[in-house]
Amino acid sequence: MKEIQTLEKAIQPLRETLQKHPLYQSLNSLKDVGIFMELHVYAVWDFMSLLKSLQQQLTCVSLPWMAPKNPTLSRFINEIVMGEESDIDVNGTPISHYQMYIDAMKEVGANTNGIDHFLNSLRSSVSVLETINQAPLHPAVKDFLKLTFETIATGKPHLVAAAFTFGREDLIPDMFIEIVGKAAKKNATSYPRFMYYLNRHIEIDGDEHGPLSLKMVSELCGEDALKWQEAAEVAQKSLVVRIALWDAIDQEIKTNLVS
């Protein structure tokens, strides 16, 4: 585990920047949360492509079926896919976490037209990266998405695992719960879909998935020094584009306050 500790140490300054980002101080109202969600939803969506890429590479989704090389990692990925792609919503109906997020956006009055238009464009496109480049998206969103799909395009599971594992927004669910709770009291309005989504996010991403993600990176890199170097570079890039996305959202919220 020495290599994973070295990697974590190398990216710690970037993680601290993310954890102490001024965006968190800007999230003071339900309207601020809505602005956040309109840009953050792209990260919620592209997470699934990282996950499905890992499922393709670490489990068997082709015919004829062959036993996966690492059943532990296969089980881990399949468990996450089940939770993310077909969880149970507040009404007990199967639903993806992405759609759960979309429903939460609508509940708080956030606009989903941007992400809807983008996904419609993808359905008729032959190139994800070309669609990203041509879409009317914020530059920070474009950079975030491009890194995701450029990493997937390498076909290297240790790089996809590094992008998947590092740069998460761990502070967001607890902060959102506090803001939405205050808004509910102030407006005498409940937000059951949003609160359910946040609580499920906390519950499913709890103590188990973090250590298993680190184990996944460790096993995929093994004792290969080049793989560890490449994984560290992707982890750093993932944090850099995440910080840039947070910068952009923070600026959008502040601009909205004075407009």
Side-chain angles (χ1 to χ4, degrees), residues 37-56:
M37 296 179 82
E38 288 171 15
L39 290 174
H40 177 245
V41 65
Y42 296 92
V44 175
W45 170 76
D46 86 335
F47 168 83
M48 284 304 302
S49 290
L50 286 171
L51 177 57
K52 298 301 282 187
S53 175
L54 288 170
Q55 188 181 35
Q56 289 175 352

Side-chain angles (χ1 to χ4, degrees), residues 34 37-38 41-42 98-99 101-107 109-120:
M37 296 179 82
E38 288 171 15
V41 65
Y42 296 92
Y98 167 77
Q99 188 58 52
Y101 195 88
I102 292 294
D103 290 345
M105 287 179 69
K106 293 176 179 178
E107 189 176 58
N111 192 330
T112 65
N113 289 342
I115 185 68
D116 290 342
H117 178 75
F118 175 69
L119 294 187
N120 284 333

Side-chain angles (χ1 to χ4, degrees), residues 33 110 205-206:
V33 169
D205 286 349

Side-chain angles (χ1 to χ4, degrees), residues 95-252:
I95 190 173
S96 70
H97 276 203
Y98 167 77
Q99 188 58 52
M100 207 182 287
Y101 195 88
I102 292 294
D103 290 345
M105 287 179 69
K106 293 176 179 178
E107 189 176 58
V108 301
N111 192 330
T112 65
N113 289 342
I115 185 68
D116 290 342
H117 178 75
F118 175 69
L119 294 187
N120 284 333
S121 298
L122 276 177
R123 290 186 179 95
S124 59
S125 173
V126 295
S127 169
V128 176
L129 287 171
E130 182 178 332
T131 302
I132 293 170
N133 282 324
Q134 295 179 355
L137 302 175
H138 192 289
V141 172
K142 285 190 176 185
D143 289 344
F144 192 95
L145 293 175
K146 283 193 287 187
L147 179 62
T148 292
F149 287 96
E150 286 169 355
T151 302
I152 291 171
T154 67
K156 297 180 178 180
H158 65 287
L159 300 187
V160 179
F164 177 89
T165 299
F166 301 103
R168 300 291 191 85
E169 58 272 26
D170 298 332
L171 298 175
I172 287 297
D174 288 332
M175 182 168 298
F176 273 14
I177 285 175
E178 182 178 350
I179 294 169
V180 175
K182 288 180 180 177
K185 290 180 180 179
K186 180 178 179 181
N187 302 318
T189 303
S190 63
Y191 304 94
R193 293 182 182 275
F194 198 7
M195 295 299 286
Y196 183 84
Y197 169 84
L198 294 171
N199 283 312
R200 288 297 287 161
H201 187 80
I202 292 170
E203 180 182 346
I204 290 178
D205 286 349
D207 294 335
E208 183 179 357
H209 285 180
L212 281 174
S213 292
L214 294 175
K215 181 179 180 181
M216 174 172 63
V217 174
S218 294
E219 294 203 17
L220 291 173
C221 290
E223 297 181 3
D224 189 321
L226 178 58
K227 286 185 177 180
W228 278 109
Q229 179 183 338
E230 291 176 338
E233 290 172 356
V234 167
Q236 290 170 337
K237 289 177 182 178
S238 298
L239 285 164
V240 167
V241 295
R242 176 75 67 175
I243 292 167
L245 180 61
W246 264 213
D247 290 342
I249 297 173
D250 190 39
Q251 186 58 50
E252 286 291 319

